């Protein structure tokens, strides 16, 4: 059969993201998305690399192979396609596209870090002294990473009510989203061998949307001195399609001016920013449009920093940008910013929202703009908030 | 053949830790240690669970199976043993015993947290307000976990020299060790299902020694506000033998008094402390003997806290205690404590040591004391410090 997809479709031949789908009753299999079609790659290419239900085997093969497969897919999709390889997008289930090895979250947006610093540390400088010298990051929980469509149960935990000295236990009352990009490592690097900033492209396989759900009250109580833990580890949602770095070549732009000049190991010779506009949608209503291009630290700098101490990387490592926020109103990638810590709720479908309520559905969307005007779709990272579950233990607040 | 091991050997029938060994030219295989013998479990028991070169498959089978295998091993080792299953300890290589899923480091010793709080935050309270309400923890890098005997290259990174406003890049000049216990999760728990504190024993498989190598200068510059990252992620060393929780039943003791009383989800009905004495040895000289029993938060509390927000756990999860320090001089589990931030170097073989120097060999040892007087050996977690490697980039300080 012939697959007819418009040349300017955000999932046209210039995109071809990788994912994992499951047809009714079948095992998960690797696919690409072409328009509204999900095309099975093992069947399309007759290549067993794509038979397992994750991208890891393919990602581990490295950039020469990625380029060759991409060319093969373009070739195959423009010819006659075996109908048994083709499914309609709305007839399959999309799975987590890869097995996550280590997961790191950065804090790379200056606008976000400034906004959050003002809220979390009102008596200090908004940016900590280290912020412009290194991309701040921390490790997160790989097991909690779920694919778009997975419900998110409101987490329970400790929080310190305002003005109190003793914490209470119960469901978070300041549940937030964080609109981010996630970068997926294809081939890793051994212990003791840092990845130079301008060789990051040899390791980076692709990009996903990433919602780093955050319980602000749990986070505020726990995070000094060792950083976020339970306030983040209950769930993080990724989009099911990994957009290859190769598809984003035409979306590369310079990052914002970096002043002071970064140390040599962070100095880039190539433009490593990406012209991607994100959208935060709650219950069908767009509440924010964060511009990724405004992000201070680039993915290449994050990867170079992450490994400069000799830390190894592996196929399936995921590092996220941290919340993407732009400088203008309506460009903030979290509710805590959009509502100034909950103090100024936003209008949402005739209601007000400070933080997320049970039943809210959060959808992140993204689209890259290539220099030639075409667009690259990222699909979506969606999740609905379910009410907290009570614990078997007794005595908690509810 | 008959294996003759004394009943009071620290690796006698009451211990039987699990590990992975490699004989010359062969693939890694699962074994137990019995005295100075390494006994291949697939051959000893004729059980294919032990054929893969990691403990994960066995750990995932759960506590009933762990108990049954333990009884089978005791039975087999007290009878006639197939000589092909037996190797001398000094003739094999010991490997990382399990594939690490998520890794979390806690901060569970009150003495350590107090000592470090005084050094890192001299103008504030030593313990943060949250410390006695929850076991503080943070995620670390699983890929950097190495087995005893692996050399540790001095990491490079950013640090802020005293009195300066701008960081420099170069090898860490404050390289430290942290003497910890690591707890290994056997069977995990699904997303959204917290592990109650008194059911932790159904999930915990065993215990290892753990050296959380720390570059104090890198850590001090980077850790505000999101916690330790590159100051820790260059290497963490585990001992090769996982001592089963079952072997430590007789070493269970109450934890120190917890005041204020923990919230109900952290309230234990069983004694979850462990009477284990650790040793920090540098270049053959014992510099500290941290008593694990002095640790404030128990492993059951750490696991209950880690999952109370619904975070899932997996076979191979590793969570460490944080540095173990006792209340007395000579019981601190890190050099930064033993030397008061480097200001009071300790004597070491006719030299002085503030922090670790290139060539230093650090060995952690541990021994549990059972109520009946027998001892349980943990083996050791050893690593030698190698000089920093220079980076391909130019312009750094050396």
């Amino acid at each position: 059969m012939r697959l007819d997809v418009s040349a300017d479709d955000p999932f046209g031949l210039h995109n071809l993201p990788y994912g994992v789908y499951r047809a009714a009753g079948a095992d998960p299999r690797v696919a690409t998305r072409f328009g509204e079609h999900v095309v099975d790659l093992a069947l399309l290419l007759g290549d067993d690399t794509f038979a397992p239900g994750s991208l890891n085997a393919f990602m581990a093969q490295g950039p020469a192979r990625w380029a060759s497969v991409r060319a093969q897919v373009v070739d195959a999709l423009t010819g006659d396609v075996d109908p048994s390889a083709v499914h309609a997008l709305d007839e399959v289930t999309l799975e987590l596209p890869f097995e996550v090895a280590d997961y790191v979250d950065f804090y790379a947006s200056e606008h976000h870090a400034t906004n959050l610093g003002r809220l979390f540390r009102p008596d200090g400088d908004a940016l900590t002294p280290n912020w412009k010298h290194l991309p701040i990051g921390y490790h997160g929980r790989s097991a909690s990473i779920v694919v778009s469509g997975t419900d998110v149960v409101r987490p329970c935990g400790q929080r310190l009510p305002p003005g109190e000295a003793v914490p209470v236990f119960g469901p978070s009352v300041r549940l937030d989203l964080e609109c981010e990009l996630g970068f997926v490592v294809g081939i890793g690097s051994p212990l003791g061998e840092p990845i130079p900033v301008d060789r990051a492209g040899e390791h980076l396989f692709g990009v996903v949307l990433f919602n780093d759900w955050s319980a602000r009250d749990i986070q505020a109580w726990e995070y000094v001195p060792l950083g976020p833990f339970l306030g983040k580890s209950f769930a993080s949602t990724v989009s099911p399609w990994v957009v290859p770095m190769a598809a984003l070549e035409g979306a590369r732009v310079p990052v914002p001016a970096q002043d002071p000049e970064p140390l040599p190991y962070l100095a880039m010779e190539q433009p490593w920013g990406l012209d991607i506009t994100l959208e935060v949608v709650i219950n069908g209503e767009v509440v924010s449009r964060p511009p990724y291009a405004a992000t201070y630290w680039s993915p290449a700098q994050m990867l170079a920093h992450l490994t400069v101490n000799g830390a190894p990387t592996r196929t399936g490592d995921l590092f996220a940008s941290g919340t993407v926020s732009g400088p203008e109103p309506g460009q903030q990638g979290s509710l805590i910013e959009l509502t100034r810590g909950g103090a100024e709720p936003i209008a949402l479908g005739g209601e007000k929202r400070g933080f997320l309520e049970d039943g809210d559905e959060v959808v992140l969307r993204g689209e890259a703009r290539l220099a030639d005007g075409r667009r690259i779709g990222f699909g979506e990272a969606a999740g609905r908030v379910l009410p907290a579950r009570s614990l078997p233990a007794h005595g908690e607040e509810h």
Side-chain angles (χ1 to χ4, degrees), chain A:
Chain A
M1 66 190 284
R2 290 279 171 170
L3 297 179
D4 188 26
V5 174
S6 154
D8 61 0
D9 189 295
F11 290 92
L13 285 176
H14 57 299
N15 187 347
L16 300 177
Y18 296 97
V20 170
Y21 79 101
R22 192 191 286 268
D27 285 338
R29 297 172 65 92
V30 171
T32 189
R33 176 171 169 184
F34 185 41
E36 301 300 299
H37 308 291
V38 171
V39 184
D40 187 296
L41 285 184
L43 294 176
L44 183 74
L45 303 179
D47 186 327
D48 280 349
T49 309
F50 302 103
S54 102
L55 293 174
N56 291 57
F58 172 52
M59 295 198 302
Q61 293 178 332
R65 168 81 167 147
W66 306 338
S68 132
V69 164
R70 189 165 165 80
Q72 289 172 50
V73 173
V74 168
D75 198 48
L77 288 176
T78 45
D80 197 44
V81 177
D82 175 357
S84 72
V86 182
H87 300 265
L89 181 61
D90 58 9
E91 286 173 359
V92 300
T93 309
L94 298 173
E95 305 276 330
L96 196 63
F98 58 98
E99 294 148 30
V100 183
D102 277 302
Y103 154 54
V104 167
D105 195 30
F106 281 92
Y107 194 50
S109 158
E110 181 180 359
H111 305 292
H112 170 70
T114 303
N115 294 338
L116 240 66
R118 288 196 182 118
L119 290 166
F120 271 71
R121 295 174 297 280
D123 301 327
D125 290 334
L127 289 183
T128 50
N130 51 11
W131 201 92
K132 291 218 164 176
H133 294 283
L134 52 81
I136 292 177
Y138 63 99
H139 287 91
R141 191 159 193 81
S142 302
S144 302
I145 294 173
V146 297
V147 72
S148 179
T150 307
D151 292 330
V152 173
V153 175
R154 181 180 297 273
C156 288
Q158 294 192 25
R159 65 174 192 275
L160 193 67
E164 301 287 325
V166 174
V168 297
F169 181 88
S172 169
V173 296
R174 288 164 69 91
L175 181 61
D176 202 353
L177 61 99
E178 290 195 335
C179 176
E180 311 193 1
L181 284 187
F183 299 92
V184 186
V185 172
I187 49 169
S189 51
L191 183 70
E193 295 187 19
I195 297 175
V197 64
D198 274 318
R199 300 189 66 174
E202 299 167 29
H203 295 269
L204 287 175
F205 177 76
V207 183
V208 291
L209 304 173
F210 191 79
N211 185 349
D212 180 26
W213 303 86
S214 297
R216 301 299 181 189
D217 40 4
I218 296 173
Q219 182 185 354
W221 171 235
E222 75 179 357
Y223 92 105
V224 176
L226 300 185
F229 186 36
L230 298 190
K232 303 275 196 175
S233 66
F234 56 95
S236 314
T237 302
V238 297
S239 54
W241 297 109
V242 184
V243 175
M245 292 307 294
L248 297 169
E249 277 296 317
R252 298 267 289 263
V253 292
V255 293
Q258 297 185 330
D259 180 24
E261 192 182 335
L263 280 158
Y265 80 92
L266 294 172
M268 297 176 288
E269 295 183 2
Q270 303 159 22
W272 261 106
L274 292 167
D275 185 9
I276 299 172
T277 298
L278 302 167
E279 275 187 352
V280 180
V281 183
I282 304 179
N283 300 338
E285 201 167 316
V286 176
V287 300
S288 176
R289 288 197 172 83
Y292 179 76
T295 304
Y296 193 89
W297 294 106
S298 76
Q301 290 174 314
M302 297 184 227
L303 190 57
H305 183 64
L306 193 159
T307 60
V308 76
N309 68 346
T313 58
R314 294 178 290 184
T315 297
D317 274 4
L318 174 68
F319 62 95
S321 59
T323 307
V324 178
S325 291
E328 306 298 332
Q331 295 188 332
Q332 289 70 46
S334 66
L335 282 172
I336 196 171
E337 292 168 87
L338 289 164
T339 67
R340 298 180 191 270
E344 300 175 14
I346 55 171
L348 188 75
E351 301 176 33
K352 294 275 188 184
R353 272 299 177 288
F355 290 94
L356 294 169
E357 299 192 0
D358 293 344
D360 281 350
E361 186 179 42
V362 178
V363 177
L364 307 184
R365 295 190 195 128
E367 202 169 74
R369 267 180 299 262
L370 306 187
D372 63 12
R374 285 180 301 173
R375 297 167 303 146
I376 296 268
F378 280 77
E380 61 183 41
R384 185 177 297 277
V385 177
L386 298 188
R389 294 183 192 155
S390 58
L391 288 188
H394 57 278
E396 306 90 302
E397 164 194 89
H398 282 292

